[in-house]
Amino acid sequence: MRIVLVGPPGAGKGTQAAFLAQNLSIPHISTGDLFRANISQGTELGLKAKSYMDAGNLVPDEVTIGMAKDRMAQPDAANGFLLDGFPRNVSQAEALDDALKLDGQELDAVLDLEVPEDEVVKRIAGRRICRNDSSHVFHVSYKQPATEGVCDVCGGELYQRGDDTEETVRRRLEVYHSETEPIIDHYRAQGLVVTISALGSVSEVTERAMEALRKGDDA
Ligand code: AMP
């Protein structure tokens, strides 16, 4: 299956993507993770991306689209993928449509995770992420690790993303509304959008998502 996951920052895209990708046996491709890996490796691409990310803005398309396409061209993505955080504006969505068409492929579904705005800010400002695996996500009040600062799953160090401050979250939300939300209409016109609520426990949301994808598949 070829799936795009959309939703505001803090909707739980990364967490859900990891579970869904595992359930569906497809790779989880997160452009945010790819940028963060480039930044920690000190690559030229990472240097280009960093200032945009720190400010909560989108990294320019000429950097992002090439990086996403290179990742999708890897052998493990030949039979499907779950895109998390890409596309994030209409021109990226059009570039993805064109790239898939060129390969005779198409998307199966666009899963839209809905969450109220005040919940988003609460979720993100207290979020702590594992340095080893960004799908290991904790929260200072909602999901505390057994030992402060240490990942329960793998023992990795927990940290707060530089762009998870309240000010940057508000900017990322503005960018989401102005740039990313329009892709939902773009895909609605193609009959691909399935919307689910992202409230509830992680496993409830995963189950809801799997159910919606199964139904979307029948349609
Ligand atoms: P995420 O991990 O998906 O929340 O992404 C973190 C940040 O990386 C975003 O706020 C953007 O600055 C940048 N980013 C990730 N994906 C994209 C994309 N498709 N287009 C532009 N910028 C992106």
Side-chain angles (χ1 to χ4, degrees):
M1 282 186 105
R2 293 183 178 81
I3 301 170
V4 168
L5 202 56
V6 286
K13 292 192 298 297
T15 306
Q16 288 305 325
F19 285 110
L20 294 172
Q22 199 176 16
N23 283 351
L24 298 164
S25 305
I26 48 178
H28 165 203
I29 300 180
S30 154
T31 41
D33 283 352
L34 292 173
F35 284 133
R36 282 184 287 277
N38 273 278
I39 290 172
S40 62
Q41 286 155 17
T43 68
E44 201 179 316
L45 191 149
L47 272 177
K48 280 188 195 151
K50 189 172 185 320
S51 58
Y52 296 95
M53 292 175 74
D54 286 346
N57 290 321
L58 294 189
V59 178
D61 287 351
E62 50 277 22
V63 179
T64 306
I65 292 172
M67 178 185 76
K69 280 199 206 166
D70 283 350
R71 178 63 188 88
M72 283 184 276
Q74 298 297 309
D76 65 337
N79 295 317
F81 46 70
L82 195 155
L83 294 178
D84 159 15
F86 181 87
R88 238 180 173 99
N89 60 26
V90 172
S91 63
Q92 292 180 11
E94 288 169 351
L96 175 61
D97 288 349
D98 291 346
L100 289 173
K101 204 186 263 170
L102 214 60
D103 287 339
Q105 298 168 350
E106 51 189 27
L107 292 175
D108 294 286
V110 173
L111 186 66
D112 169 30
L113 296 184
E114 257 186 355
V115 59
E117 194 133 330
D118 53 346
E119 177 68 18
V120 160
V121 178
K122 270 191 269 171
R123 281 188 186 191
I124 295 200
R127 179 160 79 170
R128 299 292 182 270
I129 291 173
C130 175
R131 284 212 190 273
N132 294 341
D133 184 331
S134 65
S135 71
H136 302 164
V137 183
F138 297 82
H139 191 281
V140 290
S141 27
Y142 301 151
K143 192 185 173 203
Q144 294 170 346
T147 308
E148 198 187 317
V150 181
C151 175
D152 285 354
V153 184
C154 69
E157 182 199 354
L158 298 181
Y159 78 110
Q160 179 173 33
R161 271 173 48 176
D163 60 351
D164 272 357
T165 60
E166 186 160 342
E167 191 194 344
T168 313
V169 171
R170 297 222 178 263
R171 173 69 194 142
R172 285 162 64 201
L173 274 168
E174 276 172 26
V175 169
Y176 179 74
H177 291 311
S178 61
E179 308 252 348
T180 308
E181 258 178 357
I183 73 171
I184 298 177
D185 281 337
H186 172 89
Y187 287 127
R188 199 168 273 134
Q190 300 179 23
L192 290 173
V193 178
V194 275
T195 301
I196 62 161
S197 162
L199 293 180
S201 70
V202 170
S203 58
E204 277 165 3
V205 179
T206 308
E207 192 37 55
R208 210 176 284 149
M210 289 299 293
E211 181 69 25
L213 290 174
R214 275 192 289 269
K215 280 197 192 136
D217 218 22
D218 294 342

